[in-house]
């Protein structure tokens, strides 16, 4: 099922972290629909191969690498292997993340550290490794960091998650300023409630803590979105493709909500 009507990323090499499922899968497939070849970095390589298969169905080449984004040496090796396989990297989507619903008084140091290690430190490690190669190969590329509406308007139980995603927004601003001289744009997306396994788990955790059903929690969540529905992973992919393509060449340092109006409700 190859669609040649969108060629904005034709022959571009895009790396998507956390691309095995959820928003990462949606972005990887949407990039392939725009003509890209995709390298998928994930801790679940078997599941990531399913995403790679979808990328190939849309005409793109795809490679999967088992990567823990908190491990700099593993990331460095994967970046070199990806370049060897698919050529210089044109774009990066830092999507790998964790989210737990834990009240502050029950949050352990290890749970707090986990959010910052994956969501924030992982974004730093992968960005540094790939930005260095973009500069080395004189690629005027693009980096898209996946933050969250939880960085600005978190629910109870999202202390560690919201704080780690807010840190991604600050990091995005700095990286945009530092990489501008190399022609590299850096932006952040703030998805709202999107239909993903991570959100399903969050709903279950939040329901357990509140004594409500998951349907009740979801209903309350949708009530605070202007558009009364949950988002789909590829809808985040639409905006990621724009930022990764030449259409996004004059957009940098921005944090853009894609949230069904959650932050405006």
């Amino acid at each position: 099922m190859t669609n040649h009507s969108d060629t904005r990323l034709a022959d571009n090499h895009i790396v998507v972290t956390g691309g095995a499922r959820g928003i990462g899968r949606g972005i990887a497939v949407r990039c392939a629909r725009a003509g890209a070849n995709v390298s998928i970095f994930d801790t679940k390589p078997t599941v990531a191969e399913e995403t790679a298969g979808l990328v190939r169905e849309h005409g793109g080449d795809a490679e999967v690498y088992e990567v823990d984004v908190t491990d700099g040496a593993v990331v460095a090796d994967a970046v070199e292997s990806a370049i060897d396989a698919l050529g210089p990297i044109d774009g990066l989507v830092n999507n790998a993340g964790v989210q737990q619903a834990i009240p502050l008084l029950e949050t352990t140091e290890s749970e707090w550290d986990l959010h910052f290690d994956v969501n924030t430190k992982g974004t730093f490690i992968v960005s540094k490794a790939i930005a260095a190669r973009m500069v080395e190969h004189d690629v005027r590329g693009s980096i898209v960091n996946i933050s969250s509406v939880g960085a600005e308007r978190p629910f109870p139980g999202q202390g560690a998650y919201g704080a780690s995603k807010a840190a991604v927004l600050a990091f995005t601003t700095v990286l945009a300023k530092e990489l501008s001289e190399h022609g590299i744009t850096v932006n952040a997306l703030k998805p709202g409630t999107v239909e993903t396994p991570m959100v399903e788990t969050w709903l279950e955790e939040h329901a357990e803590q509140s004594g409500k059903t998951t349907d009740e929690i979801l209903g309350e969540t949708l009530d605070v979105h202007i558009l009364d529905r949950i988002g789909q992973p590829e809808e985040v992919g639409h905006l990621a493709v724009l930022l990764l393509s030449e259409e996004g060449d004059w957009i940098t340092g921005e944090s853009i909500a894609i949230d069904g109006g959650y932050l405006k409700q």
Side-chain angles (χ1 to χ4, degrees):
M1 187 169 65
T2 304
N3 181 357
H4 294 292
S5 61
D6 185 352
T7 58
R8 286 177 291 172
L9 298 180
D11 299 321
N12 277 206
H13 178 191
I14 308 298
V15 172
V16 180
T17 70
R21 57 184 189 173
I23 289 175
R25 174 176 287 186
I27 291 173
V29 172
R30 187 62 187 84
C31 286
R33 286 175 52 198
N37 302 315
V38 184
S39 291
I40 302 163
F41 290 7
D42 205 287
T43 57
K44 302 177 181 65
T46 302
V47 183
E49 284 292 352
E50 297 174 7
T51 303
L54 294 172
V55 168
R56 296 180 189 115
E57 284 181 14
H58 288 282
D61 285 338
E63 298 290 339
V64 171
Y65 301 93
E66 184 172 2
V67 175
D68 176 350
V69 296
T70 70
D71 188 325
V74 170
V75 168
D77 288 344
V79 169
E80 294 311 308
S81 295
I83 291 171
D84 288 343
L86 297 178
I89 296 167
D90 301 284
L92 163 64
V93 181
N94 281 306
N95 170 75
V98 296
Q99 177 182 13
Q100 297 174 332
I102 312 170
L104 172 64
L105 299 182
E106 299 173 19
T107 302
T108 65
E109 288 187 30
S110 62
E111 288 166 338
W112 180 273
D113 290 343
L114 174 65
H115 285 81
F116 275 84
D117 282 347
V118 178
N119 298 347
T120 311
K121 182 181 176 182
T123 296
F124 153 70
I125 289 174
V126 182
S127 294
K128 180 180 178 182
I130 289 181
R133 294 299 173 266
M134 286 179 174
V135 172
E136 178 184 327
H137 295 131
D138 196 26
V139 171
R140 299 177 68 83
S142 175
I143 296 173
V144 178
N145 297 325
I146 304 301
S147 179
S148 169
V149 292
E152 297 183 19
R153 191 182 174 191
F155 282 95
Q158 289 188 320
Y161 176 75
S164 65
K165 288 297 192 178
V168 169
L169 298 183
F171 178 67
T172 297
T173 301
V174 173
L175 203 59
K177 292 178 178 180
E178 293 187 359
L179 295 180
S180 63
E181 66 180 285
H182 302 289
I184 299 169
T185 61
V186 188
N187 295 284
L189 297 184
K190 299 176 293 189
T193 305
V194 178
E195 188 173 357
T196 67
M198 181 183 289
V199 166
E200 290 174 7
T201 300
W202 173 79
L203 287 170
E204 292 168 359
E205 292 173 345
H206 198 35
E208 182 178 346
Q209 292 166 11
S210 65
K212 300 176 182 178
T213 67
T214 53
D215 285 342
E216 288 173 328
I217 297 297
L218 180 58
E220 292 174 358
T221 302
L222 296 182
D223 283 345
V224 292
H225 289 68
I226 293 174
L227 299 179
D228 187 23
R229 71 171 176 83
I230 198 167
Q232 296 301 313
E234 281 204 42
E235 292 183 297
V236 182
H238 296 324
L239 189 48
V241 166
L242 184 147
L243 294 173
L244 292 165
S245 74
E246 66 176 7
E247 293 177 352
D249 281 354
W250 210 48
I251 305 171
T252 199
E254 293 295 331
S255 61
I256 305 169
I258 178 162
D259 64 352
Y262 172 76
L263 290 179
K264 298 299 183 182
Q265 182 70 295

